[in-house]
Amino acid sequence: MGCLETLGRIPYASLIATIITCVGVGVFCGTLYKALTITLRDIFRDLFDFDITWLGTLQIMFVLVGVIMAILAIILLVFGFLATGSTRKNVYRGTRCIMGGRVSAAFFMGVSYILNLAWIGISSVLVIPIILYVIFSNLCTTYVLNNKRNMHECRASDFKYQNQHPSCYCVNLTHYGITRDSAFGVKNDGLCKNENLQTFCNSVSDAGPYFIAAYCGAVLIVLGMNIFMLCLSANYTRIKVSKELTEYRDAVDTENTFELDGKIPFGTQ
């Protein structure tokens, strides 16, 4: 019986949401950090001599956000334990405790809703590098890996007139809105040598799967937040019902006390 009571106190939905969120946070932080490291170091810095400082800051911020999300998931799990089974009856007994539980549940629901919208936005943004990965993978397969011409013979001028030199291909940042401007700090906006193109394609093939995994991690976090919102909504209702049951029990106890007092014979007090 004690074992069944203990199992009845476990918030299984909150526990599943915590596991999903923590797994999503771990996958998101680890893979996105690695993907951005490859993109910043191997592609932009080593190949294009392009230093993007704000992406490095964003890389650290995502790790901090992931840690905060993991802590929040644990807090929500603890709240789920407090609002489940007989634990709820022991914790939320008084009127003030019940009101505090309802306010806490409403607050956590609001936080979960805002974070859920934020992670939906993050997962949407991660679609962009995945699309670029697919595009550059196809370009690398078509123009670099399957190109039999010695790419060392291609010149930058051949790239401008590629219809006359179809076997020559260069990766040029100007096609993506990044030009030789001091505001961007770009010193080399085109890759035409075979060895540079091979390095670029290898880096793309390495970073792409990490971006896909980071997107999957963000989707898991969104799923975990949705489950948490459902759990918090149910816990809010249970705590509200606990208040009504407490008031009902108090009224019944008071009525029973008056009835017992009325049945006590006179002079026995």
Side-chain angles (χ1 to χ4, degrees), residues 32 104 106 149 164:
L32 185 62
S104 300
R149 178 178 175 178
Q164 301 176 8

Side-chain angles (χ1 to χ4, degrees), residues 147-176:
N147 192 0
K148 297 181 179 179
R149 178 178 175 178
N150 184 6
M151 298 297 293
H152 288 286
E153 298 176 1
C154 296
R155 302 182 302 275
S157 59
D158 295 338
F159 177 72
K160 296 180 181 179
Y161 307 98
Q162 195 170 355
N163 56 349
Q164 301 176 8
H165 303 273
S167 59
C168 293
Y169 181 76
C170 293
V171 177
N172 200 312
L173 291 179
T174 56
H175 285 184
Y176 307 97

Side-chain angles (χ1 to χ4, degrees), residues 40 44 50-61 183-184:
L40 293 175
F44 283 102
F50 187 8
D51 190 14
I52 308 177
T53 55
W54 62 271
L55 270 181
T57 305
L58 191 65
Q59 186 180 18
I60 299 175
M61 287 181 59
F184 289 98

Side-chain angles (χ1 to χ4, degrees), residues 7 9 12 15 28 38 55 62-64 79 84 110 115 139 150 157 161 164 181 206 208 216 219 231 233 236 261:
L7 292 176
R9 296 178 181 178
Y12 293 101
L15 182 61
F28 175 82
I38 295 174
L55 270 181
F62 276 130
V63 175
L64 294 178
F79 183 78
T84 303
L115 290 176
L139 291 176
N150 184 6
S157 59
Y161 307 98
Q164 301 176 8
D181 191 353
D206 290 339
C216 294
V219 171
C231 296
S233 178
Y236 179 86
D261 289 343

